[in-house]
Amino acid sequence: QLLQFGGGSVPPGGSLTLSCVINGIDRFYSLGWWRQAPGERREEVASLNNRGTLRYANSVKGRFTFRPEGAKSMILLEMTDLKVEDTGVYFCHRMRDDGGEDWGQGTQVTISS
């Protein structure tokens, strides 16, 4: 249902873009990106609900941009000024309008000098 692309390793201050192809993208309550650092709980990074409300975690505001590409059935996460603490496995997520949810397979993002 959800297929992720992107990720990798960059030094601090670098940029990466993650993408996620979502089959049936129009059927959603919310779309979002989550991440999980080693030993930590999974946390929401950015999300968009079906009323058009876009929100970001405080730790990424001004650095990350959630970009829906409905015509391509994709969502993007453009990440700039990356920090060591942004390291983790990133997941795209959909809460469907039928109450179910889907997760991408996860993509490793490593910020290291």
Side-chain angles (χ1 to χ4, degrees):
Q1 296 271 11
L2 277 61
L3 183 62
Q4 295 180 224
F5 299 91
S9 181
V10 297
S15 300
L16 285 171
T17 296
L18 306 180
S19 58
C20 178
V21 178
I22 301 179
N23 185 30
I25 192 171
D26 291 337
R27 295 184 55 223
F28 74 97
Y29 173 76
S30 68
L31 300 170
W33 290 95
W34 293 62
R35 70 184 178 191
Q36 187 165 20
E40 301 291 332
R41 298 177 64 179
R42 195 173 295 189
E43 64 171 351
E44 184 180 278
V45 174
S47 67
L48 172 72
N49 68 20
N50 59 5
R51 296 183 298 278
T53 302
L54 182 60
R55 65 181 186 186
Y56 295 93
N58 287 335
S59 60
V60 307
K61 282 181 181 177
R63 301 188 298 118
F64 288 16
T65 302
F66 178 103
R67 194 178 303 282
E69 297 280 349
K72 299 179 182 179
S73 295
M74 295 175 61
I75 57 173
L76 307 178
L77 185 67
E78 299 173 343
M79 306 183 290
T80 63
D81 191 22
L82 284 160
K83 305 177 185 299
V84 172
E85 52 265 39
D86 294 318
T87 294
V89 180
Y90 284 68
F91 300 87
C92 56
H93 175 261
R94 172 176 61 181
M95 183 70 72
R96 298 194 305 269
D97 56 6
D98 63 4
E101 63 180 343
D102 305 296
W103 292 93
Q105 78 273 24
T107 301
Q108 179 68 45
V109 171
T110 302
I111 313 305
S112 173
S113 55

